[in-house]
Amino acid sequence: MSVPLLKIGAVLSTMAMVTNWMSQTLPSLVGLNGTVSRAGASEKITLFQSPEEGWQLYTSAQAPDGKCICTAVIPAQSTCSRDGRSRELRQLMEKVQNVSQSMEVLELRTYRDLQYVRSMETLMRSLDARLRAADGSLSAKSFQELKDRMTELLPLSSVLEQYKADTRTIVRLREEVRNLSGSLAAIQEEMGAYGYEDLQQRVMALEARLHACAQKLGCGKLTGVSNPITIRAMGSRFGSWMTDTMAPSSDTRVWYMDGYYKGRRVLEFRTLGDFIKGQNFIQHLLPQPWAGTGHVVYNGSLFYNKYQSNVVVKYHFRSRSVLVQRSLPGAGYNNTFPYSWGGFSDMDFMVDESGLWAVYTTNQNAGNIVVSRLDPHTLEVVRSWDTGYPKRSAGEAFMICGVLYVTNSHLAGAKVYFAYFTNTSSYEYTDVPFHNQYSHISMLDYNPRERALYTWNNGHQVLYNVTLFHVISTAGDP
């Protein structure tokens, strides 16, 4: 009996792997998030500076057989570019081509796993039949234990059905992309622009559906954190760095804030590559100094805690002005309720797939972590939850898909120890280890666009990829 149970356990592992790939790699391949060069993401390399002359090479993660899948987009030298509509038509053609190729890569990556998962359905039903037949040959205790285990695995059937439905959706999307690509090719051959607006709308609708599909498959429960990827060693022991979680994929600016109190200087680098090289940046001088390292950039604005106050400040980078500021009622500040490392970390701002959050503590909550959903325009509290977890015992925290994850330390040996689910107002203790390479984390934030954790670790700017398990709720669930 142990062998079938081990195989069924492998189903969960396999589906977690597939879901993680779909949530991390697919958006990068179709241009739905950034192109940071790291494990699990795609990288775009332009061999010549001019997009009219240069070949573009796209690389992705390995295929199931171990081969590297590469896609080369050849410049359309024979295409007329004498007017703007022709250029726009060519750009649409290239975009649809990239989406189509991404679909083929996705099908290749998931085909074998889908076949394996389907075989597990038969195995589960066979195991169930064997358990029923073995009623007389097992002790009552052993039979009950196996029966309980089988009951735990039964929800996998609904997961399988949803997985099949998601696969069929992807097949339909691929067929629509193929049809649209054929229409574009015919128009491009005639060098006309008949029906251009309609085709543009179809491309936008397909991109929206693909993005929604990726978001659905990408959101899930945290089950793993990758090894660290050191981007750069820069600045003091404490600080923060980030990208805009709401920016389009073409916007890869990086913001850098050194220190944890009384700072006002924010450096804005044009790209991640410029940040790594320390070049091509501008400086913003905030009108009011910050406290802590829990800042976040969201939709073109910086949200931070004003020094020696419980005031949230929204600073707009383009206009270089404060759009709004508001006190968080009862929130502690000035090292009253910091994380375990101190550093004026009383207030921590976060962004996940559902919006803007604030993590802090009040006297009324007896020092326990409070998580509040904020309106990004007015900074008013939409709703709050008392997690019951003491903030001074937390190393750092971050939000993923409406779930607050808390680490038990900021030092070596730390792990994700506690999770609070805002959708059900419930919590659980977890055990998700991660490698704290430089032994002192003073900033830890999740970026939903990159699906990665950004950290400041003892003067090093570090990234972690995350593994999210997609959980399907059945009709009988509460």
Side-chain angles (χ1 to χ4, degrees):
M1 286 301 194
S2 60
V3 174
L5 288 174
L6 288 174
K7 289 184 177 179
I8 291 174
V11 175
L12 301 177
S13 224
T14 300
M15 294 191 67
M17 178 189 69
V18 174
T19 301
N20 185 40
W21 183 88
M22 294 176 75
S23 65
Q24 294 183 13
T25 305
L26 175 59
S28 297
L29 288 172
V30 299
L32 296 179
N33 66 8
T35 54
V36 179
S37 176
R38 65 177 191 273
S42 64
E43 181 180 9
K44 173 182 173 182
I45 305 170
T46 302
L47 303 182
F48 298 92
Q49 292 299 320
S50 171
E52 297 295 326
E53 300 174 356
W55 289 50
Q56 292 180 339
L57 177 65
Y58 294 81
T59 63
S60 76
Q62 288 185 336
D65 58 2
K67 296 180 180 178
C68 178
I69 301 174
C70 302
T71 301
V73 180
I74 305 173
Q77 297 176 351
S78 61
T79 303
C80 176
S81 58
R82 59 192 174 191
D83 58 66
R85 292 172 70 85
S86 295
R87 286 194 297 271
E88 289 176 338
L89 181 62
R90 186 173 67 253
Q91 291 171 359
L92 280 176
M93 190 71 180
E94 292 173 354
K95 182 176 292 188
V96 172
Q97 180 186 18
N98 289 336
V99 173
S100 179
Q101 291 164 344
S102 300
M103 288 291 186
E104 293 176 3
V105 172
L106 177 61
E107 184 180 33
L108 176 64
R109 291 299 303 268
T110 58
Y111 175 76
R112 294 182 180 177
D113 294 294
L114 180 59
Q115 294 297 110
Y116 182 74
V117 171
R118 284 172 174 169
S119 69
M120 287 301 100
E121 183 180 32
T122 304
L123 179 61
M124 286 181 60
R125 300 187 186 283
S126 173
L127 178 60
D128 182 52
R130 293 176 64 184
L131 285 174
R132 297 177 186 275
D135 191 4
S137 60
L138 294 175
S139 67
K141 181 178 180 181
S142 298
F143 178 76
Q144 187 61 42
E145 288 177 352
L146 289 175
K147 186 176 180 181
D148 292 342
R149 179 60 176 167
M150 189 63 208
T151 302
E152 293 175 2
L153 293 175
L154 284 179
L156 186 58
S157 298
S158 60
V159 175
L160 175 63
E161 292 304 318
Q162 184 62 47
Y163 189 83
K164 292 178 181 177
D166 291 336
T167 303
R168 289 192 293 269
T169 299
I170 293 173
V171 171
R172 288 195 298 270
L173 284 172
R174 188 186 63 177
E175 186 62 29
E176 291 186 42
V177 170
R178 182 183 292 111
N179 294 337
L180 180 57
S181 180
S183 300
L184 283 171
I187 292 176
Q188 189 176 45
E189 184 177 353
E190 296 176 4
M191 294 309 298
Y194 176 76
Y196 168 79
E197 288 80 8
D198 177 62
L199 288 170
Q200 184 182 41
Q201 291 299 318
R202 289 177 65 186
V203 169
M204 293 175 63
L206 281 170
E207 283 191 326
R209 291 176 63 187
L210 185 61
H211 184 268
C213 182
Q215 286 293 94
K216 176 186 176 184
L217 293 174
C219 221
K221 183 178 179 180
L222 178 70
T223 57
V225 178
S226 75
N227 287 326
I229 305 166
T230 301
I231 302 300
R232 188 177 181 189
M234 177 183 179
S236 64
R237 192 178 188 186
F238 312 96
S240 60
W241 71 296
M242 64 216 82
T243 58
D244 191 340
T245 60
M246 287 289 288
S249 59
S250 58
D251 185 350
T252 60
R253 287 176 295 172
V254 175
W255 285 270
Y256 169 90
M257 301 169 69
D258 191 12
Y260 64 86
Y261 78 107
K262 297 177 67 174
R264 295 176 58 199
R265 190 174 73 130
V266 182
L267 300 185
E268 177 187 312
F269 292 85
R270 187 178 62 182
T271 66
L272 179 65
D274 290 329
F275 173 69
I276 294 173
K277 297 176 183 177
Q279 63 185 21
N280 295 327
F281 64 87
I282 61 176
Q283 176 177 288
H284 299 270
L285 194 62
L286 301 178
Q288 299 161 333
W290 72 68
T293 59
H295 331 297
V296 70
V297 175
Y298 181 60
N299 201 20
S301 295
L302 173 70
F303 296 81
Y304 70 96
N305 175 210
K306 179 182 175 183
Y307 179 60
Q308 289 188 330
S309 75
N310 61 1
V311 173
V312 187
V313 179
K314 179 182 180 181
Y315 175 84
H316 189 243
F317 285 115
R318 179 174 294 179
S319 64
R320 294 178 177 264
S321 62
V322 173
L323 298 185
V324 63
Q325 55 183 342
R326 181 183 297 273
S327 295
L328 269 179
Y333 62 93
N334 205 29
N335 266 342
T336 304
F337 297 112
Y339 288 125
S340 60
W341 65 272
F344 296 88
S345 56
D346 302 77
M347 297 169 64
D348 193 0
F349 304 103
M350 309 170 183
V351 171
D352 70 352
E353 292 79 0
S354 55
L356 178 66
W357 304 82
V359 169
Y360 56 98
T361 296
T362 68
N363 284 320
Q364 290 77 9
N365 294 92
N368 293 330
I369 291 177
V370 176
V371 55
S372 293
R373 177 80 180 273
L374 300 184
D375 184 318
H377 303 291
T378 65
L379 299 183
E380 293 180 338
V381 174
V382 178
R383 184 180 174 185
S384 295
W385 293 262
D386 183 350
T387 66
Y389 192 92
K391 192 163 185 288
R392 286 183 175 274
S393 298
E396 273 287 345
F398 54 92
M399 295 287 299
I400 299 180
C401 302
V403 180
L404 179 71
Y405 294 95
V406 181
T407 68
N408 62 345
S409 174
H410 61 283
L411 302 173
K415 61 183 178 180
V416 181
Y417 180 71
F418 178 85
Y420 186 87
F421 304 88
T422 59
N423 62 333
T424 59
S425 300
S426 61
Y427 69 89
E428 69 178 22
Y429 289 94
T430 61
D431 186 8
V432 181
F434 65 95
H435 182 37
N436 187 348
Q437 185 172 2
Y438 304 107
S439 303
H440 196 289
I441 292 178
S442 60
M443 170 255 179
L444 179 60
D445 261 340
Y446 172 69
N447 186 309
R449 186 183 73 169
E450 308 286 347
R451 287 193 172 87
L453 295 175
Y454 279 61
T455 67
W456 187 293
N457 195 337
N458 213 356
H460 297 78
Q461 292 74 49
V462 181
L463 288 175
Y464 294 88
N465 287 316
V466 298
T467 299
L468 303 179
F469 187 81
H470 182 46
V471 180
I472 307 295
S473 298
T474 62
D477 290 341

